[in-house]
Amino acid sequence: MRLLNEPSQGGSNMSRPVTLFSCVLACASLSAMTATAQPANKAAIAGPNDVISTRQIMFHLSAATFGEMKEAADAGSDVRHLAIGANGLVRWARSIPAMFPRGSTGPLSRARPEIWTNRADFEARAAAYQAAAEQLALAAQGGDRAAFLEQWQATRRVCSGCHDAYRASTS
């Protein structure tokens, strides 16, 4: 078993945020499933703040992964090593709608009410982000740095478009 900062067999050193993202994604996915499950004991259901905290952590790790992938590609790294981070983004994108159950808003959340009033568009944007991230993973697996960077920009545009529509500003 390879440790987070231990080089792989190829001798390269994967960036810690990309690897951590994959680990945390698994934990957050379990948290999301737990938060949306219907246990016999209603007190066991996670509250809105648990879902809000989990999705904020995942958005933060997603941004860190995304930035690390760009930095590595710009530095001339072999983009094939970035496929794990891109696949993590695919898994995160797939889980985004579940991370916004009705009622998961409040003072800790920047989620705009339109997420719930225009749910079909929100889910379509999450699906578009997933599709863009899938293409990013394929570009990484193909090893073509120029194609990867082009798809990175396209994925960023899709991601930002959803934030622009559904995330409240901090000011």
Side-chain angles (χ1 to χ4, degrees), residues 21-163:
F21 177 79
S22 297
C23 294
V24 174
L25 179 61
C27 293
S29 296
L30 288 173
S31 176
M33 288 185 281
T34 302
T36 57
Q38 296 298 320
N41 178 358
K42 295 289 186 184
I45 298 174
N49 287 338
D50 296 331
V51 174
I52 293 167
S53 294
T54 300
R55 71 180 180 229
Q56 287 173 342
I57 290 165
M58 292 310 301
F59 279 122
H60 179 78
L61 288 170
S62 173
T65 299
F66 212 61
E68 288 287 328
M69 288 191 304
K70 176 77 161 79
E71 186 178 308
D74 284 346
S77 294
D78 182 347
V79 296
R80 289 177 290 196
H81 296 289
L82 304 177
I84 190 168
N87 281 313
L89 294 176
V90 170
R91 294 178 69 191
W92 164 235
R94 189 178 308 128
S95 69
I96 288 173
M99 296 303 298
F100 288 87
R102 186 166 295 285
S104 64
T105 189
L108 300 176
S109 177
R110 291 174 56 196
R112 294 178 61 192
E114 291 83 0
I115 288 173
W116 298 280
T117 60
N118 196 2
R119 188 66 181 201
D121 181 66
F122 175 72
E123 290 183 5
R125 287 176 187 257
Y129 176 50
Q130 179 182 340
E134 288 170 348
Q135 291 303 307
L136 184 65
L138 289 173
Q141 291 165 4
D144 182 337
R145 193 167 65 84
F148 176 85
L149 287 168
E150 184 177 322
Q151 185 58 39
W152 186 94
Q153 290 292 343
T155 305
R156 181 173 183 249
R157 281 190 299 276
V158 172
C159 181
S160 294
C162 192
H163 285 275

